[in-house]
Amino acid sequence: MEVIFTIFVLIYCLLVVRFHYYWLQIPVFHPQPAKLSEQPLRASVIIPVRNEARHIVSLLQDLEKQRLNEQQLLPKRNWEVIVVDDASEDETATLVRNFASQTELTITLIPSDTATRNRSPKKQAIWQGIQSSQGDYIITTDGDCRVEPYWLLTWLQFLQQYRPALAAGGVTFHQEKTWFQRLQTIEFASLIGMSAASIQTQHPITCNGANLAFSRSAFRRVGGYQGHWHVPSGDDEFLLHAVFREYPKGVFFLKSPEAVVKTYAKRTVTSFIQQRKRWAGKWKMHREAQVVLLSLLVFIFHVGFLSGLIYFTLGVTLDYWLVGLLFLKVGVEWAFLKSVLRFLKKKENLINLLPLQLLYSAYFILIGLIASGGGYTWKNRKHHQHD
C-alpha cells in the first residue's frame, strides 16, 4: 500500500509541475492603447442568453464602455454585438431591445430557433449568431459575465498579431460572498491554468466559452459543431479539439489580465453539482486520447489518494514519510495555483487551498461517479448524457 500510494502522489505531482512549467512559458500579452492597424480586422461578439435578466444589462454596459485609450472609446466600425435569445422565460429580450434602442453600440437581437430538435440549444444559438454576423473573428461570452474596458481592444490586437484559428482567454469568479464560493474560485483557477498549459503544450484539453475567439474560416472548415450537436454542452471544448485537428499550430491562449472575463460562482450546492455533472459528463464523448487518459488518470489518483488517507488514518500511526508526501502534493499545487491566481488577480483566495485539500478527492470521486450516468439540469432544462 505504501509503494502504490507513493507512486500515485509522485505521478500527480509531476503532472502538476508540468502544467506549472508550461503555464509560465505562455507570454503575457498587454494591449497598446490607441493602436490598431490601418485596416483592423472586424470582430463579432456573440452572446447566447437564456433567462439572464439579472445580468445582461451589466454586460452590455461593459461593452458600451470598451476603450481604445483613456480619451476614446473603441471605434464601432471594428466590431458588433449579437445577442441570441434562447427562449428566455423572463425579461431578457425586452431588456436587450430597450438597451439597444438607447445606445450607439451596434447590438442585434435575434431569437434562437427553438423548433430545431436534437440539437444543443447553446450551440444552436451561437451557430445562428454566426450566420447573422459579419466579423472575421467570432468572440463568445455569456450573459452573466463582466468584462474590463480594454477587453475587446486586447482581443483585437491579439487576433491581429497572431491570426489564430482559435484562442481561449482567462475566466474567473467575482463577488464571492461565502467560503463555498471562494473554494469554487480556487478550483476554477486550477481548471483555467490546466487549460492554458495544455494549449501551450499543443495537447489541448479544455477551454471556456465565456472567453473564446475563433476565425470564421476555421469554424467553417471544421464544419462548426458537426459531430457533437447531440451533446447539450461542449460548444467550447469540442470546437477546440475540432479546430486543433485542422490547425495544430493555430490554437493559442490569450494570457492577458486586461482580457480576463468575470462571472459568478454557484450560490448553492445543488446548482454547483449540476454544473460539475455537465462538465464531467463530456469526457465520455471525446475522441482525443489525451483527454480521456488524463480524466482517468486524475480519477484513479483521487481514488488512490483518498483510500491511502483513510488507510493511514485508521492505522493510527502517522509516518513522517506520509507527511512528506502530503507536503509535496500541497507544495506543488500551491506554487501552480499561486501563479494562476496572481494572473487572475485572485491571490487572496489561496488561503482556501488547505481546507480544499481535505475535501477535493472525495468531491472529485463523487462527481465522477454521478456524471457517469443520469442527466443534469441546465438553464431550467433537463438533459441526458446520451442526448
Side-chain angles (χ1 to χ4, degrees), residues 46-49 82-86 108-112 125-126 128-129:
I46 295 182
I47 312 167
V49 293
I82 298 177
V83 180
V84 189
D85 181 40
D86 177 19
T108 303
L109 173 67
I110 60 176
S112 183
I126 296 174
Q128 284 187 233

Side-chain angles (χ1 to χ4, degrees), residues 242-282:
V243 171
F244 180 75
R245 286 192 292 269
E246 290 291 330
Y247 303 89
K249 301 290 186 180
V251 175
F252 293 80
F253 183 82
L254 170 55
K255 189 178 182 182
S256 173
E258 291 85 358
V260 171
V261 165
K262 298 175 182 178
T263 187
Y264 297 90
K266 296 300 179 182
R267 291 184 293 176
T268 67
V269 173
T270 300
S271 60
F272 173 79
I273 290 177
Q274 292 297 322
Q275 182 189 60
R276 292 324 195 253
K277 284 174 65 177
R278 174 166 58 89
W279 290 358
K282 290 182 289 187

Side-chain angles (χ1 to χ4, degrees), residues 61-77:
Q61 288 172 339
D62 287 348
L63 292 173
E64 188 179 39
K65 298 172 185 175
Q66 293 299 293
R67 309 202 67 81
L68 180 64
N69 52 49
E70 291 185 1
Q71 291 76 36
Q72 296 174 282
L73 294 174
L74 193 66
K76 303 298 187 294
R77 67 178 182 274

Side-chain angles (χ1 to χ4, degrees), residues 49-316:
V49 293
R50 176 171 166 79
N51 299 337
E52 292 293 355
R54 290 180 58 201
H55 304 118
I56 187 61
V57 172
S58 295
L59 172 60
L60 295 177
Q61 288 172 339
D62 287 348
L63 292 173
E64 188 179 39
K65 298 172 185 175
Q66 293 299 293
R67 309 202 67 81
L68 180 64
N69 52 49
E70 291 185 1
Q71 291 76 36
Q72 296 174 282
L73 294 174
L74 193 66
K76 303 298 187 294
R77 67 178 182 274
N78 301 132
W79 57 294
E80 62 178 343
V81 176
I82 298 177
V83 180
V84 189
D85 181 40
D86 177 19
S88 291
E89 300 163 331
D90 61 10
E91 297 299 311
T92 298
T94 300
L95 290 171
V96 173
R97 198 176 293 112
N98 291 342
F99 189 91
S101 67
Q102 300 170 12
T103 181
E104 296 181 3
L105 190 62
T106 304
I107 301 176
T108 303
L109 173 67
I110 60 176
S112 183
D113 182 8
T114 56
T116 303
R117 301 300 181 187
N118 299 320
R119 283 195 169 190
S120 159
K122 186 175 182 182
K123 295 191 188 89
Q124 176 67 24
I126 296 174
W127 184 85
Q128 284 187 233
I130 293 172
Q131 308 316 304
S132 301
S133 68
Q134 300 178 11
D136 306 296
Y137 275 89
I138 309 301
I139 304 175
T140 64
T141 189
D142 294 332
D144 60 349
C145 290
R146 303 296 303 271
V147 297
E148 297 294 328
Y150 289 101
W151 174 70
L152 197 51
L153 176 66
T154 306
W155 266 119
L156 288 171
Q157 290 184 353
F158 183 84
L159 297 173
Q160 189 83 47
Q161 180 173 335
Y162 291 97
R163 296 284 177 168
L166 180 146
V171 183
T172 190
F173 296 140
H174 72 141
Q175 296 183 9
E176 306 97 315
K177 297 179 181 179
T178 66
W179 182 69
F180 175 59
Q181 291 178 322
R182 288 189 285 273
L183 289 183
Q184 291 178 58
T185 298
I186 290 284
E187 186 210 14
F188 197 62
S190 70
L191 294 175
I192 293 298
M194 179 189 69
S195 166
S198 67
I199 289 173
Q200 184 68 11
T201 67
Q202 296 189 348
H203 292 91
I205 297 171
T206 188
C207 62
N208 196 297
N211 199 12
L212 187 69
F214 48 89
S215 72
R216 177 183 298 275
S217 59
F219 186 82
R220 287 176 175 171
R221 181 169 176 177
V222 303
Y225 301 119
Q226 181 180 353
H228 50 89
W229 274 111
H230 62 292
V231 185
S233 61
D235 54 283
D236 41 20
E237 195 168 314
F238 293 115
L239 183 62
L240 165 69
H241 293 290
V243 171
F244 180 75
R245 286 192 292 269
E246 290 291 330
Y247 303 89
K249 301 290 186 180
V251 175
F252 293 80
F253 183 82
L254 170 55
K255 189 178 182 182
S256 173
E258 291 85 358
V260 171
V261 165
K262 298 175 182 178
T263 187
Y264 297 90
K266 296 300 179 182
R267 291 184 293 176
T268 67
V269 173
T270 300
S271 60
F272 173 79
I273 290 177
Q274 292 297 322
Q275 182 189 60
R276 292 324 195 253
K277 284 174 65 177
R278 174 166 58 89
W279 290 358
K282 290 182 289 187
W283 76 269
K284 296 182 295 184
M285 313 291 183
H286 276 289
R287 293 166 48 187
E288 285 68 29
Q290 74 267 20
V291 178
V292 177
L293 182 61
L294 181 65
S295 299
L296 288 173
L297 178 63
V298 174
F299 184 79
I300 291 171
F301 162 76
H302 284 292
V303 171
F305 185 75
L306 184 61
S307 300
L309 286 181
I310 294 173
Y311 173 82
F312 290 114
T313 300
L314 295 177
V316 181

Side-chain angles (χ1 to χ4, degrees), residues 343-356:
F343 161 71
L344 297 172
K345 298 179 181 179
K346 289 288 179 178
K347 188 178 174 183
E348 71 278 2
N349 284 37
L350 195 59
I351 192 65
N352 296 296
L353 177 60
L354 294 178
L356 191 62

